Amino acid sequence: MSRLVLVYEPEDACRTRLARQGFPPHHALEISSYLAQSTDLALEFPAIDKACAARGVDFVPVPLDEARSVLTGVDPAATLVWTLTDGIAYFRGGAAPAMARLGGLHTIGADDSLFALCQDKFRSGAVLSALGLPVPPAGLARDGKWLVEPPVSSSGYFVKPNRLGAKIGIWPDSRCRRAEDALELSRRVHSAYRDDVVVQPYVAGRNVRASFLGVDPDAGVEALGVFFVDSGGDFQTMADSMALYGDTGAAAKAADAYDEPDLVPVAASQPGADRRIREIARALMEALGVKDVFSMDFRVEADDTVHLIEFEVCPGLPCFDFRAYCRSQWGLSLPDAMAETAARRLMAAAST
């Protein structure tokens, strides 16, 4: 029987490892919140299992630390590996597609080299810039010292950790006026998380999330979902993100502190920006090999100027925006969308 192996890194395993490395509990909690989608999606494993079984696929969710033993000795022709949570530094999910490649197994998603690239914002930005894509130029700082000085900016700067996601280390004052303020933020980030910071000129505009799941293996950029994400503020902070997902998100919902952002199709008001975003997605797919499942974050100005902020090869599948995308683009719930994607890939693999 064909099988879908979903590999994920749990939040609690990450917290335990960070504690051994000497991180205080509150910072370990913040860092591990990046893995909240593994907590949220686990609640739907029965629904995914049912959706897969209806399509003749055996669903096998596997914590990362058990993946090596599970993937050893399986039939490469009948096994598909889907990596749910990525990571190369604080998180370790990038090992899963590499293990799959060593075993000659089929995978959902990009090549494992891209898992490493998109987790390092500074290096990723350099590659995207070399491709001629509209990424803000960046400086890099470590604990109050410039490794690469940022360009002079009349609009001020935006400061974010280099290898952390889910808005970890982004505070209300992460937009600052002076380069000296950015260096002070780099000291705070290094003290809390031991990470460098990317320092970019602040770019105006509304936040946009572009999501993609190739339920149809032949789907292209026409299947991209492009939405403004209006959260009521200029940008989301770590506190905003932690209130939406995982263990901390569940607590926020129980306390009625959950405020889901609004999603508005970009094409409805700025079709030119929508077209440009799809052109950028096509460039990533053709030049970098981004495929199957991914997301991109943008800032879009009123005159249709588009700024590419970053891309992810492990988007938050159980997040509100990705669920909405599956419904609007494919007419499927998240479990059915995942099962249908896997079943079609396994069918294609069996015929080759």
Side-chain angles (χ1 to χ4, degrees), residues 181-203:
D181 300 325
L183 285 179
E184 183 55 40
L185 281 165
S186 79
R187 295 185 184 95
R188 192 194 308 173
V189 167
H190 191 272
S191 175
Y193 311 113
R194 308 175 192 172
D195 200 7
D196 301 337
V197 297
V198 171
V199 181
Q200 296 174 311
Y202 171 81
V203 292

Side-chain angles (χ1 to χ4, degrees), residues 136-222:
L140 187 68
R142 177 181 301 157
D143 196 17
K145 297 181 180 179
W146 292 117
L147 302 178
V148 178
E149 291 195 20
V152 175
S153 172
S154 60
S155 61
Y157 297 94
F158 193 79
V159 182
K160 56 189 176 184
N162 188 43
R163 297 175 300 167
L164 288 164
K167 311 299 185 289
I168 301 161
I170 295 179
W171 297 291
D173 61 347
S174 290
R175 179 188 175 186
C176 58
R177 296 300 309 172
R178 304 177 305 157
E180 292 82 358
D181 300 325
L183 285 179
E184 183 55 40
L185 281 165
S186 79
R187 295 185 184 95
R188 192 194 308 173
V189 167
H190 191 272
S191 175
Y193 311 113
R194 308 175 192 172
D195 200 7
D196 301 337
V197 297
V198 171
V199 181
Q200 296 174 311
Y202 171 81
V203 292
R206 295 169 69 185
N207 296 311
V208 168
R209 168 66 55 83
S211 301
F212 182 88
L213 179 63
V215 175
D216 179 347
D218 295 325
V221 295
E222 76 286 345

Side-chain angles (χ1 to χ4, degrees), residues 252-329:
K253 292 173 187 176
D256 291 327
Y258 176 78
D259 189 14
E260 194 171 278
D262 294 325
L263 296 174
V264 181
V266 172
S269 59
Q270 295 187 241
D274 180 86
R275 287 192 296 271
R276 177 61 177 137
I277 286 169
R278 293 176 194 276
E279 291 171 359
I280 292 169
R282 183 178 291 108
L284 286 176
M285 296 170 82
E286 293 177 352
L288 291 185
V290 176
K291 62 179 182 177
D292 295 339
V293 57
F294 61 88
S295 66
M296 300 179 293
D297 290 324
F298 297 87
R299 297 276 276 185
V300 173
E301 299 188 47
D303 65 356
D304 287 350
T305 298
V306 171
H307 305 276
L308 173 60
I309 304 303
E310 60 190 39
F311 74 97
E312 293 285 349
V313 295
C314 275
L317 300 185
C319 298
F320 71 97
D321 57 298
F322 204 88
R323 291 181 190 277
Y325 162 72
C326 290
R327 290 192 302 268
S328 63
Q329 177 61 40

Side-chain angles (χ1 to χ4, degrees), residues 92-106:
R92 301 168 298 146
M99 283 190 284
R101 181 163 60 87
L102 286 172
L105 306 176
H106 298 288

